[in-house]
Amino acid sequence: MFPCQMCILERYPYSALLILSMISYFFPLHKIAPLVQAGIILTLLTSLGLSFYHVGLEYHFFNLPHFCGGGDPGHFENVEALKAYLSEQTQIVRCDIVLLKVLGHSLAEWNFFLSAALLGLTAYFIKNKKHDAA
């Protein structure tokens, strides 16, 4: 079972979040703290947006992009051009087909829930930390 391209894209914000969290932990300088906090918020918003779009693809709210198995490959001048196109194609896993559900929700839905929860917790802690400093 291979992941679709949206599943792979949804992993990148967590890598960025890990790097930003490590910067925040190892370099707790007051000058860069607002930049790191803004980076974390933007990263979580990106994750939330990607997971929202993926859930929308699964529920067919949006048209599939070309990299998810949607779209028209185009018109071919001759049979040789079609054969060349088909020989270059790798297997595309469609983004609108749910391959695994956990407790009745797809992994894209779980990612949406997790991103929303992490965003809310981050905003809460940033707000309360500013009140504690004042």
Side-chain angles (χ1 to χ4, degrees):
M1 178 167 56
F2 296 102
C4 70
Q5 287 299 314
M6 282 302 300
C7 291
I8 292 171
L9 281 175
E10 288 176 78
R11 296 175 185 175
Y12 293 132
Y14 289 105
S15 300
L17 189 61
L18 178 65
I19 292 168
L20 288 168
S21 298
M22 288 173 52
I23 289 171
S24 177
Y25 182 77
F26 289 114
F27 304 105
L29 301 174
H30 295 291
K31 292 180 181 179
I32 65 167
L35 292 175
V36 173
Q37 291 171 352
I40 288 173
I41 294 288
L42 287 174
T43 302
L44 289 170
L45 283 170
T46 301
S47 179
L48 190 67
L50 285 171
S51 58
F52 174 79
Y53 183 63
H54 194 180
V55 170
L57 290 174
E58 290 177 350
Y59 283 96
H60 304 285
F61 295 146
F62 309 117
N63 291 329
L64 280 177
H66 185 66
F67 65 85
C68 282
D72 183 11
H75 300 286
F76 302 99
E77 298 295 324
N78 54 37
V79 176
E80 299 305 320
L82 176 61
K83 284 182 184 178
Y85 173 78
L86 291 175
S87 67
E88 293 174 0
Q89 292 299 306
T90 58
Q91 181 181 4
I92 296 176
V93 179
R94 293 180 56 97
C95 297
D96 61 341
I97 298 174
V98 178
L99 299 176
L100 176 66
K101 285 192 173 193
V102 177
L103 300 174
H105 295 287
S106 71
L107 295 181
E109 291 172 308
W110 282 112
N111 187 30
F112 181 80
F113 300 148
L114 179 65
S115 297
L118 287 174
L119 183 62
L121 284 172
T122 301
Y124 174 79
F125 286 124
I126 288 173
K127 180 182 174 194
N128 283 343
K129 183 161 181 120
K130 286 182 181 178
H131 286 303
D132 291 342

